[in-house]
Amino acid sequence: MGHPPLPDSGFLEDWAARLRQAAERPVVGILLRGSHARRAATAHSDVDLDVLVGGAPYAARRAYLAETAGRVTHVSVAARDVRSWVHRLGEPADWAFGLPVSTPARLLWADPHWRPRIDLPVLCQPAEPPRLEEMIATLGKAAAARAVNDRLGVRLAVADLARLCPSVLRPANPSVRVHSRRAAFAAALDLPVAPPGYRADMLLCLGLRPGATSALWAAAVRLVAGTLPLIRPYAEEIADTSGADLAAALVDGRLDRYVAQLARPVAPAPQHDRERSPVPAPRAGQLVTVPVPDAPATGVPSDPSGPVTSEPARPSRLDPAIAARLRRSADGLVAAVVRAHDSGEVLMVAWMDDEALHRTLTTGRATYWSRSRREYWVKGATSGHHQYVRSVALDCDGDALLVSVEQVGAACHTGHRTCFFTELPVTTQAQP
């Protein structure tokens, strides 16, 4: 409040002068871009500047925190040689979902020789060609990940597929130009010629709506299968970028049959293959996968009145060598202390039995046993606050586990980052 959204002329002129003096090579021109050039900035917006220099190909990016009149402003400076900058205007923008770009700019200073070529009130970049081949290949990657139960691989592939889809649909849609990444995203979601359920499927594949891996896969298949008939009349344009054979396959139905082939259910592995080898404990940063349900699966109730046991309370596929080292509680559980792998911050404490530990080690997703519900639960399966396991360590007595995770969102069900947010008073001071 009280700060003008557009920097005043004195601020911009001062920075233009500073950049000319600090440049490593002769400065050709300085332009203001982004939200300030569009006159859409808020008090928190960055100031984005392009510094064009002469000489051989050159590119660098610098960031500054400029303080004026008690106000700190983030200034982002992209330096580039002027010839490659002009050439880059003829290439698609990598953030625009394949759509053409028309974004305002404001020239702050220019060398007289170059002024006529760079004094552009609007910077225009062309649309991306329809990348049908990449979209089909990405669906194949998602299918391959699905076949080996690599759920993270499926999610990564369908997100890439969704980013490609607007460029493939572009020939069938009215021309639209975008001026920012946010505008590009909105336009990509609102294409008038699109498969049924397109917007919902795009949001799901991009990870902006929660969904099980199976739902993401189904959405990706719908996007591709629904796109093919819409772009069939534009096969000649497809041929220019993806080749004549793929364009012919789009027309004669081979491409539809290939997508249907990818979409077929994956046959389960034979029983003897699933039980052939013990499951190795993962090294830090390593993820391996086995089939595991997205939702909690009901377990076998245990008798909480029994003694401390060295045997598991429920059937498990845990490696016998690991199981033999566990010292379990009366109900067959071991405490799991969960911490952030990067900072070491303690996030929560939960319970694992042998099968929960097996699933944690082999899926890369933290899985626990609920003592109140008597069932297994995967952290984040319903909340979206996933825990991706980086390493698991067993303490010296075998009765506690240290699980290091990459935490997405809050670890605590209250919405706090950590469950340990209540400080208790300490009334005595330990003596050194």
Side-chain angles (χ1 to χ4, degrees), residues 81-99:
D81 68 284
V82 64
R83 288 179 174 82
S84 68
W85 182 86
V86 172
H87 175 75
R88 194 162 174 254
L89 293 180
E91 300 176 345
D94 57 9
W95 48 263
F97 289 87
L99 302 175

Side-chain angles (χ1 to χ4, degrees), residues 3 7-8 10-12 14-15 18 65-73:
H3 295 279
D8 59 37
F11 177 92
L12 295 176
D14 174 64
W15 269 91
R18 290 173 61 181
L65 291 179
E67 188 167 10
T68 55
R71 176 79 176 169
V72 179
T73 302

Side-chain angles (χ1 to χ4, degrees), residues 108-130:
L108 302 179
W109 179 87
D111 178 270
H113 173 75
W114 280 96
R115 177 178 290 274
R117 295 189 61 183
I118 64 174
D119 191 5
L120 305 172
V122 176
L123 305 180
C124 295
Q125 292 179 262
E128 194 171 53

Side-chain angles (χ1 to χ4, degrees), residues 9 11-23 25-33 48-54 78 80 82 85 105-120:
S9 59
F11 177 92
L12 295 176
E13 290 172 0
D14 174 64
W15 269 91
R18 290 173 61 181
L19 293 171
R20 290 200 304 273
Q21 293 171 2
R25 49 180 69 196
V27 175
V28 169
I30 300 173
L31 294 95
L32 176 69
R33 297 183 300 101
D48 297 303
L49 298 172
D50 274 1
V51 176
L52 309 183
V53 298
R80 182 178 292 272
V82 64
W85 182 86
R106 175 178 167 187
L107 186 65
L108 302 179
W109 179 87
D111 178 270
H113 173 75
W114 280 96
R115 177 178 290 274
R117 295 189 61 183
I118 64 174
D119 191 5
L120 305 172

Side-chain angles (χ1 to χ4, degrees), residues 71-388:
R71 176 79 176 169
V72 179
T73 302
H74 175 213
V75 182
S76 178
V77 178
R80 182 178 292 272
D81 68 284
V82 64
R83 288 179 174 82
S84 68
W85 182 86
V86 172
H87 175 75
R88 194 162 174 254
L89 293 180
E91 300 176 345
D94 57 9
W95 48 263
F97 289 87
L99 302 175
V101 171
S102 180
T103 180
R106 175 178 167 187
L107 186 65
L108 302 179
W109 179 87
D111 178 270
H113 173 75
W114 280 96
R115 177 178 290 274
R117 295 189 61 183
I118 64 174
D119 191 5
L120 305 172
V122 176
L123 305 180
C124 295
Q125 292 179 262
E128 194 171 53
R131 296 169 62 185
L132 177 61
E133 192 277 332
E134 288 93 333
M135 188 172 75
I136 296 298
T138 305
L139 183 66
K141 292 177 181 178
R146 174 172 171 260
V148 295
N149 296 287
D150 179 3
R151 294 181 297 160
L152 183 57
V154 172
R155 291 179 181 272
L156 290 172
V158 301
D160 289 340
L161 184 150
R163 283 187 282 269
L164 291 167
C165 196
S167 81
V168 179
L169 285 167
R170 185 190 55 76
N173 280 274
S175 179
V176 60
R177 285 190 172 272
V178 297
H179 59 264
S180 68
R181 186 178 184 182
R182 178 66 180 83
F185 180 53
L189 289 180
D190 293 333
L191 293 178
V193 180
Y198 167 79
R199 182 184 179 91
D201 286 342
M202 284 283 289
L203 291 172
L204 190 60
C205 289
L206 289 168
L208 299 177
R209 281 187 179 172
T213 309
S214 57
L216 269 72
W217 166 249
V221 172
R222 286 194 298 269
L223 284 175
V224 177
T227 293
L228 297 183
L230 299 177
I231 63 169
R232 196 162 285 131
Y234 307 94
E236 289 186 7
E237 186 172 346
I238 298 293
D240 291 339
T241 55
S242 298
D245 186 72
L246 191 65
L250 175 63
V251 174
D252 64 27
R254 279 179 291 149
L255 202 48
D256 298 81
R257 293 193 294 276
Y258 178 64
V259 171
Q261 175 181 299
L262 293 176
R264 289 172 190 158
V266 178
Q271 184 71 18
H272 64 276
D273 287 343
R274 294 200 299 268
E275 298 178 352
R276 178 174 296 166
S277 59
V279 178
R283 296 184 295 274
Q286 180 187 40
L287 299 181
V288 293
T289 59
V290 298
V292 64
D294 282 339
T298 301
V300 180
S302 60
D303 179 8
S305 62
V308 174
T309 175
S310 61
E311 298 296 329
R314 284 162 288 277
S316 173
R317 297 165 289 171
L318 183 64
D319 181 352
I322 298 175
R325 301 182 62 181
L326 297 180
R327 178 177 172 81
R328 305 169 187 83
S329 67
D331 49 0
L333 302 176
V334 175
V337 179
V338 185
R339 69 176 180 179
H341 80 95
D342 51 354
S343 66
E345 177 187 20
V346 177
L347 301 174
M348 57 180 277
V349 175
W351 296 93
M352 291 184 183
D353 68 355
D354 288 41
E355 180 62 14
L357 177 57
H358 167 75
R359 298 184 187 190
T360 297
L361 293 174
T362 58
T363 67
R365 295 284 299 281
T367 305
Y368 308 104
W369 173 257
S370 171
R371 295 179 296 175
S372 60
R373 299 191 305 271
R374 300 289 182 182
E375 65 184 14
Y376 296 105
W377 58 284
V378 180
K379 180 67 175 177
T382 56
S383 67
H385 296 165
H386 304 291
Q387 288 177 349
Y388 297 104

